[in-house]
Amino acid sequence: QVQLQESGPGLVKPSQTLSLTCTVSGDSISSGSSYWNWIRQPAGKGLEWIGRIYTGGSTSYNPSLKSRVTISVDTSKNQFSLKLSSVTAADTAMYYCAREVAAITGDFDYWGQGTLVTVSS
Amino acid sequence: QTVVTQEPSFSVSPGGTVTLTCGLSSGSVSPSYYPSWYQHTPGQAPRTLIYTTNTRSSGVPDRFSASILGNKAALTITGAQADDESDYYCVLYMGGGIYVFGTGTKVTVL
């Protein structure tokens, strides 16, 4: 059974960098067929796709966040990470990591339970 | 930036049928956007219902079906049940590895 688990600080100060890690079990990030995504949901709002990474390191990002987002992978730890710089209160959200089972399917078949990140001084 | 639009809310009677749609602020949705549909109940992770236009995910009841209707993607719930009360999101592939979620539809069963 594939499981994903988000971890990281629940509180980040404005203008700082939000850093989250997703630990994957039951599947190998380096297996080659899956894409690894970050998705968020601000309170009271809809889901927003942030970006994804493929094993080889190729990434794609939401154009509206691209200048502030970096997604990376650590195959030795079977983890992938999100960094979002220069955060504001608008970045307060539940952050999810999710597996896209194969390219261009839109099938995010496994998700973490989500981690709430609040941006506040 | 492209906006993917959904109806804000729908109400359906138990046993009834409801069709949710997913459109583009400019242009038409086609299979080349690989539309997928998610059910999201607060406090839980979203669940895939449909991917690549009309492929039902494993374990999803066949009362959920999807298609392209006119210039939009559509999700139909036939024989709605109480536990179908949830938020529903479509997702479109925009090319270049980029996805966009729709604005979401809140479905109430009463």
Side-chain angles (χ1 to χ4, degrees):
Chain A
Q1 176 76 349
V2 178
Q3 293 184 319
L4 290 80
Q5 179 68 57
E6 305 88 351
S7 60
L11 181 64
V12 181
K13 288 182 167 48
S15 80
Q16 293 191 342
T17 296
L18 177 161
S19 296
L20 296 175
T21 296
C22 182
T23 301
V24 179
S25 58
D27 186 16
S28 171
I29 278 186
S30 57
S31 65
S33 61
S34 300
Y35 288 72
W36 305 95
N37 293 259
W38 288 98
I39 293 154
R40 70 181 182 179
Q41 184 177 35
K45 296 189 177 182
L47 295 167
E48 180 180 34
W49 181 80
I50 299 171
R52 73 177 189 179
I53 190 165
Y54 183 62
T55 302
S58 64
T59 54
S60 52
Y61 300 127
N62 184 325
S64 69
L65 299 170
K66 186 174 183 178
S67 63
R68 299 194 292 129
V69 172
T70 302
I71 297 176
S72 59
V73 65
D74 186 338
T75 54
S76 68
K77 295 181 179 179
N78 219 36
Q79 295 175 335
F80 63 107
S81 298
L82 168 71
K83 291 189 186 299
L84 181 66
S85 64
S86 305
V87 297
T88 69
D91 296 308
T92 294
M94 183 71 80
Y95 285 77
Y96 296 95
C97 56
R99 185 183 82 164
E100 181 184 0
V101 65
I104 318 178
T105 60
D107 184 13
F108 305 117
D109 61 344
Y110 288 99
W111 297 64
Q113 281 302 303
T115 188
L116 179 62
V117 178
T118 301
V119 178
S120 175
S121 56
Chain B
Q1 175 153 344
T2 300
V3 176
V4 178
T5 58
Q6 298 182 244
E7 299 86 358
S9 62
F10 260 120
S11 183
V12 59
S13 300
T17 296
V18 62
T19 296
L20 317 181
T21 67
C22 172
L24 285 168
S25 53
S26 65
S28 299
V29 177
S30 67
S32 65
Y33 285 90
Y34 300 89
S36 54
W37 291 91
Y38 288 80
Q39 181 187 57
H40 188 203
T41 302
Q44 299 180 20
R47 168 198 183 197
T48 312
L49 296 175
I50 303 284
Y51 59 95
T52 56
T53 305
N54 55 13
T55 302
R56 205 176 294 116
S57 189
S58 176
V60 173
D62 59 8
R63 66 177 182 273
F64 293 95
S65 62
S67 63
I68 301 291
L69 281 182
N71 62 350
K72 296 182 179 182
L75 174 72
T76 298
I77 307 173
T78 303
Q81 299 183 2
D83 61 2
D84 296 335
E85 187 161 294
S86 189
D87 297 324
Y88 292 83
Y89 293 89
C90 65
V91 181
L92 299 182
Y93 179 70
M94 310 306 288
I98 294 171
Y99 287 99
V100 178
F101 277 86
T103 51
T105 298
K106 183 177 183 63
V107 172
T108 302
V109 181
L110 51 72

